[in-house]
Amino acid sequence: MIARLQIGLAASVGLAITLLAGCSARLPGQPNEAERWRAPAEITDFNQLYTQNCAGCHGPGGRLGAARPLNDPLYLAFVTDDALRQAISRGRAGTNMPAFSEQAGGHLTDQQIDLLVNGMRAHWSKPDDFKGVDLPRYSVNETATPSGPSEAVNNNISAETSQTGDAPRGSATYKTFCASCHGTDGEGGLAGSIVDPNFLNLVSDQGLRTTVVVGRADMGKPDWRGNVPGHPMSAQEIDDVVAWLAAHRKMTTVAVSKVDHSASLNMK
């Protein structure tokens, strides 16, 4: 009798286990598949990758952050995929943009970086809006050969704008297109100074070029077509004004070097 009871109890327990294993019920507190912890390298969802790695500077949804908005169809039409990958992978020297690729000490795989680039395109670009628009080239290196390749490699940017741009000519271009907001000499007017050394030391030549071409819609800065109504900036005018701005950075560097040299002489 006892043996039969034991057999019946074991059969009941076995049946209960089988039924529980076959149903979809979860124990209290058990995470579902979407909530399961994943190693950073396993994340393949664009929104999660962007939120964890980009939103802190570029804003939730690509807007209203401290850095340039990425949810900007004009910017995405202007910038190349390779430039986006390089910026994410290697960062921007001299700025707060860090390197995210595993090869550069970050934690994103090449596949995840591609997911970010493709995701920004898929979610935020509007290529149809720019059909028939003659967009300026992203980098002067698309047509020009760098005169200082080591500088470009060290900064991970195109730093040779002055090769095709002319700084003295850029002074006149600046007065035509920019002075109404930034002041006659760039030291500030309705908008802030763009020759301030603290600003110029935090932005690359390519960053200057991008702002001249794309503008900053979040700050009311027009793109290359809107500075002077009915007179978009030509490719040469863009090159020239960027060369003029970049020259102020170099002038500041030279001035600081002279001060340091004079101080060292006085200490001897």
Side-chain angles (χ1 to χ4, degrees):
M1 180 70 178
I2 294 175
R4 276 191 234 163
L5 286 173
Q6 289 174 333
I7 293 172
L9 180 60
S12 298
V13 171
L15 177 61
I17 292 173
T18 301
L19 291 173
L20 284 173
C23 72
S24 59
R26 292 185 295 116
L27 295 175
Q30 181 181 359
N32 58 35
E33 182 61 22
E35 298 168 338
R36 182 177 67 84
W37 180 87
R38 288 176 171 79
E42 295 179 6
I43 299 172
T44 57
D45 177 70
F46 166 73
N47 290 316
Q48 187 175 356
L49 284 171
Y50 177 85
T51 299
Q52 292 180 351
N53 298 282
C54 315
C57 291
H58 294 281
R63 290 178 174 164
L64 302 179
R68 166 175 291 284
L70 298 175
N71 187 349
D72 179 347
L74 176 55
Y75 172 71
L76 291 174
F78 175 66
V79 69
T80 64
D81 283 355
D82 185 60
L84 284 173
R85 289 191 192 95
Q86 292 292 324
I88 298 170
S89 299
R90 302 180 185 178
R92 293 291 195 192
T95 76
N96 289 328
M97 174 66 185
F100 282 96
S101 70
E102 292 178 327
Q103 297 91 326
H107 59 271
L108 293 182
T109 65
D110 290 342
Q111 179 190 17
Q112 289 173 318
I113 292 170
D114 283 339
L115 284 169
L116 281 170
V117 173
N118 295 332
M120 285 188 277
R121 297 273 186 218
H123 286 76
W124 302 329
S125 67
K126 298 179 181 179
D128 289 344
D129 289 358
F130 303 100
K131 284 183 177 178
V133 176
D134 187 14
L135 285 168
R137 63 187 186 275
Y138 174 72
S139 166
V140 293
N141 281 349
E142 291 176 23
T143 56
T145 302
S147 58
S150 60
E151 182 180 0
V153 170
N154 290 336
N155 292 293
N156 301 322
I157 57 174
S158 167
E160 292 74 35
T161 301
S162 59
Q163 185 178 20
T164 56
D166 180 80
R169 192 169 55 215
S171 177
T173 303
Y174 168 84
K175 288 179 171 60
T176 300
F177 292 98
C178 315
S180 61
C181 289
H182 294 285
T184 304
D185 298 315
E187 296 180 353
L190 297 175
S193 169
I194 52 173
V195 294
D196 184 284
N198 297 306
F199 165 70
L200 290 174
N201 286 333
L202 288 173
V203 63
S204 66
D205 286 11
Q206 181 60 59
L208 292 171
R209 180 182 182 83
T210 298
T211 301
V212 170
V213 174
V214 177
R216 285 289 298 264
D218 56 325
M219 296 181 176
K221 164 72 175 72
D223 60 51
W224 88 104
R225 301 166 294 181
N227 294 293
V228 177
H231 186 182
M233 297 178 74
S234 69
Q236 188 62 63
E237 287 168 332
I238 293 169
D239 291 348
D240 290 346
V241 79
V242 173
W244 180 79
L245 290 168
H248 283 76
R249 184 194 300 116
K250 295 168 186 175
M251 288 166 56
T252 301
T253 302
V254 171
V256 171
S257 298
K258 286 182 178 178
V259 170
D260 292 343
H261 181 62
S262 298
S264 65
L265 289 176
N266 291 333
M267 292 175 64
K268 292 182 179 178

